[in-house]
Amino acid sequence: MSEMSEQPNPQELNGEHPTVTKVKEATEAVWKKKNIIQEYAEIHKSITHDRLAWHGGGIYIKWVNDIDMVSKAITMVDKKSVWRKVVAGLNSGLGRVWAATATATILAPLDIAYNVVTWPVRKILPRNLVKRSFLVAELAARNIVLGAGASAAAIGFEGNIAQKTVKATAETVLAAPEVIGTMAKRRIDSVVNKIMHPKKVA
Amino acid sequence: MEEKLKEIVTRIEKSTLSEDDKAELYATISEGLQATVWPVLLKYMPKEELEFLSQDPKSRVTVESYAKLIEDTIKDGEALKEIEGLMNEVLGEVDKALAEEKV
């Protein structure tokens, strides 16, 4: 993969709050400290922080490309009942923290696909949270891209329990900040519960 | 992890940050947590299985084969343990960053 020149971080140019910058640096510090696959972390960091800087070479790049291809293919699959079994299978026998993580992993590739596909759109995405939510839903409705919050509906999960499980996890763990930002009452418990307590699939 | 996360969210909620900045922080924390998932999964993923699927994703990637890939990756629990450990580290670093910013 050829290397592209890095774009300046638009958030830096737009006067990001220093606390937000500090927290972002803190999360990146963990990636650097730990033995996380460095190239993958760099790619993902670039994607999630509104930059696209691909690095060439390396077996890890191949694995990332491989899983990206698999991820894109799986998002096109439309087998509702089997998806429900997948969620159920991963939830059963695992602790609630692991279940939340496992459920999130199903939608993690959607995030990769979402971020890669929507990079041009996200560069100009309005910062207004309501407009961003609308745009995500609009794109999902057209099946152009599966936003994390809209992915559950777009894929068409059957059964309210499966849908709530996936949607709840998607809304808080994945890239759907607009949903977190608009929660009104009991925000603290709601945020934590949605991350940590996905509803079990029947 | 849950207690740590709750404490962090509580502090942010009680802070004088604007609603937009709070939302941005939650999104950043979510991204930070989420970003621990795939690198670890990739480390534990059966590479032959992944390569097989990626060679012809249209016909080989089904919900069943994908579910098997994920299940094979996490079934012994090691990947999830590592993810949880990393998530705790992320929250620890976030905690320090907030304290430095007097949040």
Side-chain angles (χ1 to χ4, degrees), chain A residues 9-83:
Chain A
N9 188 337
Q11 288 161 330
E12 288 160 0
L13 296 177
N14 290 339
E16 184 176 73
H17 194 286
T19 304
V20 175
T21 306
K22 199 96 184 180
V23 168
K24 280 185 182 165
E25 287 168 358
T27 61
E28 289 170 25
V30 177
W31 298 334
K32 286 177 188 165
K33 255 190 343 186
K34 304 303 288 186
N35 187 25
I36 296 176
I37 295 174
Q38 189 60 34
E39 292 176 41
Y40 183 88
E42 289 286 333
I43 292 168
H44 199 282
K45 185 186 88 174
S46 301
I47 290 172
T48 54
H49 289 182
D50 285 338
R51 276 184 278 191
L52 192 62
W54 293 89
H55 301 264
I59 188 66
Y60 301 139
I61 298 293
K62 178 188 178 330
W63 294 344
V64 170
N65 286 339
D66 284 350
I67 196 61
D68 198 33
M69 276 193 266
V70 169
S71 310
K72 285 178 183 171
I74 199 62
T75 59
M76 300 304 163
V77 174
D78 179 25
K79 293 186 181 178
K80 302 172 189 179
S81 60
V82 182
W83 267 115

Side-chain angles (χ1 to χ4, degrees), chain A residues 130-196:
Chain A
V130 172
K131 286 182 185 172
R132 286 178 75 178
S133 298
F134 175 79
L135 188 58
V136 167
E138 183 72 20
L139 293 171
R142 294 181 189 182
N143 207 27
I144 294 171
V145 66
L146 297 175
S151 60
I155 292 172
F157 280 88
E158 272 187 5
N160 60 337
I161 295 174
Q163 192 163 3
K164 280 178 186 174
T165 300
V166 175
K167 194 162 186 293
T169 310
E171 283 173 3
T172 55
V173 178
L174 303 181
E178 47 268 27
V179 179
I180 299 171
T182 54
M183 282 192 289
K185 293 180 181 180
R186 296 183 62 81
R187 288 171 68 161
I188 296 164
D189 287 343
S190 185
V191 168
V192 173
N193 281 336
K194 284 189 178 181
I195 291 174
M196 300 304 300

Side-chain angles (χ1 to χ4, degrees), chain B residues 40-55:
Chain B
V40 175
L41 286 184
L42 211 51
K43 218 165 80 169
Y44 288 90
M45 199 166 274
K47 299 302 181 294
E48 307 77 23
E49 211 173 318
L50 174 60
E51 185 164 1
F52 175 77
L53 293 177
S54 70
Q55 281 169 355

Side-chain angles (χ1 to χ4, degrees), chain B residues 15-34:
Chain B
S15 72
T16 56
L17 293 165
S18 71
E19 292 305 304
D20 274 1
D21 287 333
K22 286 180 186 175
E24 189 91 37
L25 273 178
Y26 293 141
T28 302
I29 293 168
S30 288
E31 286 174 3
L33 290 175
Q34 182 218 348

Side-chain angles (χ1 to χ4, degrees), chain B residues 30-75:
Chain B
S30 288
E31 286 174 3
L33 290 175
Q34 182 218 348
T36 63
V37 175
W38 270 111
V40 175
L41 286 184
L42 211 51
K43 218 165 80 169
Y44 288 90
M45 199 166 274
K47 299 302 181 294
E48 307 77 23
E49 211 173 318
L50 174 60
E51 185 164 1
F52 175 77
L53 293 177
S54 70
Q55 281 169 355
D56 186 9
K58 267 193 176 170
S59 64
R60 292 180 182 174
V61 176
T62 61
V63 174
E64 293 87 351
S65 64
Y66 181 73
K68 183 176 184 310
L69 177 66
I70 298 296
E71 286 179 33
D72 286 347
T73 304
I74 65 173
K75 63 184 173 189

